Coordinates of all heavy atoms in Angstrom, one line a residue:
Chain A
L142 N 6.8 23.7 -5.6 CA 6.4 24.0 -6.9 C 5.3 23.1 -7.4 O 4.5 23.4 -8.3 CB 7.6 23.9 -7.9 CG 7.4 24.8 -9.1 CD1 7.4 26.3 -8.7 CD2 8.6 24.6 -10.1
V143 N 5.2 21.9 -6.8 CA 4.1 21.0 -7.2 C 2.8 21.6 -6.8 O 1.8 21.6 -7.6 CB 4.3 19.6 -6.4 CG1 3.1 18.7 -6.6 CG2 5.6 18.9 -7.0
Y144 N 2.7 22.2 -5.6 CA 1.5 22.8 -5.1 C 1.2 24.0 -5.9 O 0.1 24.4 -6.2 CB 1.6 23.1 -3.6 CG 1.9 21.8 -2.8 CD1 3.0 21.7 -2.1 CD2 1.0 20.8 -2.9 CE1 3.3 20.5 -1.4 CE2 1.2 19.6 -2.2 CZ 2.4 19.5 -1.5 OH 2.7 18.3 -0.8
F145 N 2.3 24.7 -6.3 CA 2.1 25.9 -7.2 C 1.4 25.4 -8.5 O 0.6 26.1 -9.0 CB 3.5 26.5 -7.5 CG 3.4 27.6 -8.5 CD1 3.0 28.9 -8.1 CD2 3.8 27.4 -9.8 CE1 2.9 29.9 -9.1 CE2 3.8 28.4 -10.8 CZ 3.3 29.7 -10.4
G146 N 1.9 24.3 -9.0 CA 1.2 23.8 -10.3 C -0.3 23.6 -10.1 O -1.0 24.0 -11.0
M147 N -0.6 23.0 -9.0 CA -2.1 22.8 -8.7 C -2.8 24.1 -8.6 O -3.9 24.3 -9.2 CB -2.3 22.0 -7.5 CG -1.6 20.6 -7.5 SD -1.8 19.8 -5.9 CE -0.9 18.3 -6.2
L148 N -2.2 25.0 -7.9 CA -2.9 26.3 -7.7 C -3.0 27.0 -9.1 O -4.0 27.7 -9.4 CB -2.1 27.2 -6.8 CG -2.2 26.8 -5.3 CD1 -1.2 27.6 -4.5 CD2 -3.6 27.0 -4.8
L149 N -1.9 26.9 -9.9 CA -1.9 27.5 -11.2 C -3.0 27.0 -12.1 O -3.7 27.8 -12.8 CB -0.5 27.2 -11.8 CG -0.3 27.9 -13.2 CD1 -0.2 29.4 -13.0 CD2 1.0 27.4 -13.8
A150 N -3.2 25.7 -12.0 CA -4.3 25.2 -12.8 C -5.7 25.7 -12.4 O -6.5 26.1 -13.2 CB -4.3 23.6 -12.7
A151 N -5.8 25.8 -11.1 CA -7.1 26.4 -10.6 C -7.2 27.8 -11.0 O -8.3 28.3 -11.5 CB -7.1 26.2 -9.0
F152 N -6.2 28.6 -10.8 CA -6.2 30.0 -11.2 C -6.5 30.1 -12.7 O -7.3 31.0 -13.1 CB -4.9 30.7 -10.8 CG -4.8 32.1 -11.3 CD1 -5.5 33.1 -10.7 CD2 -4.0 32.4 -12.5 CE1 -5.4 34.4 -11.2 CE2 -3.9 33.6 -12.9 CZ -4.6 34.7 -12.3
S153 N -5.8 29.3 -13.5 CA -6.0 29.4 -14.9 C -7.5 29.1 -15.3 O -8.0 29.8 -16.2 CB -5.1 28.5 -15.7 OG -3.8 28.6 -15.3
S154 N -8.0 28.1 -14.7 CA -9.4 27.8 -15.0 C -10.3 29.1 -14.7 O -11.1 29.4 -15.5 CB -9.9 26.7 -14.1 OG -9.5 25.5 -14.6
W155 N -10.1 29.6 -13.5 CA -10.9 30.8 -13.2 C -10.6 32.0 -14.2 O -11.5 32.6 -14.7 CB -10.5 31.3 -11.8 CG -11.1 32.6 -11.4 CD1 -12.3 32.9 -10.9 CD2 -10.4 33.9 -11.6 NE1 -12.5 34.2 -10.8 CE2 -11.3 34.9 -11.2 CE3 -9.2 34.3 -12.0 CZ2 -11.1 36.2 -11.2 CZ3 -8.9 35.7 -12.1 CH2 -9.8 36.6 -11.7
F156 N -9.3 32.1 -14.5 CA -8.9 33.2 -15.4 C -9.6 33.1 -16.8 O -10.2 34.0 -17.3 CB -7.4 33.2 -15.6 CG -6.9 34.2 -16.6 CD1 -6.8 35.5 -16.3 CD2 -6.4 33.7 -17.8 CE1 -6.4 36.4 -17.3 CE2 -6.0 34.7 -18.8 CZ -5.9 36.0 -18.5
F157 N -9.6 31.9 -17.3 CA -10.1 31.7 -18.7 C -11.6 31.8 -18.7 O -12.2 32.3 -19.7 CB -9.7 30.4 -19.3 CG -8.2 30.4 -19.8 CD1 -7.3 29.5 -19.3 CD2 -7.8 31.4 -20.7 CE1 -6.0 29.5 -19.7 CE2 -6.5 31.4 -21.1 CZ -5.6 30.4 -20.6
F158 N -12.3 31.3 -17.7 CA -13.7 31.1 -17.8 C -14.5 32.1 -17.0 O -15.7 32.2 -17.1 CB -14.1 29.7 -17.5 CG -13.4 28.7 -18.4 CD1 -12.5 27.8 -18.0 CD2 -13.7 28.7 -19.8 CE1 -11.9 26.9 -18.8 CE2 -13.1 27.8 -20.7 CZ -12.2 26.9 -20.2
R159 N -13.8 32.8 -16.1 CA -14.6 33.7 -15.2 C -14.1 35.1 -15.2 O -14.8 36.0 -14.6 CB -14.6 33.2 -13.8 CG -15.2 31.8 -13.6 CD -16.4 31.8 -12.7 NE -16.7 30.4 -12.4 CZ -17.7 29.8 -13.0 NH1 -18.5 30.5 -13.8 NH2 -18.0 28.5 -12.8

Side-chain angles (χ1 to χ4, degrees):
Chain A
L142 208 64
V143 172
Y144 303 116
F145 175 76
M147 299 176 182
L148 288 171
L149 185 67
F152 173 75
S153 307
S154 282
W155 171 84
F156 174 74
F157 284 123
F158 300 115
R159 300 240 189 257

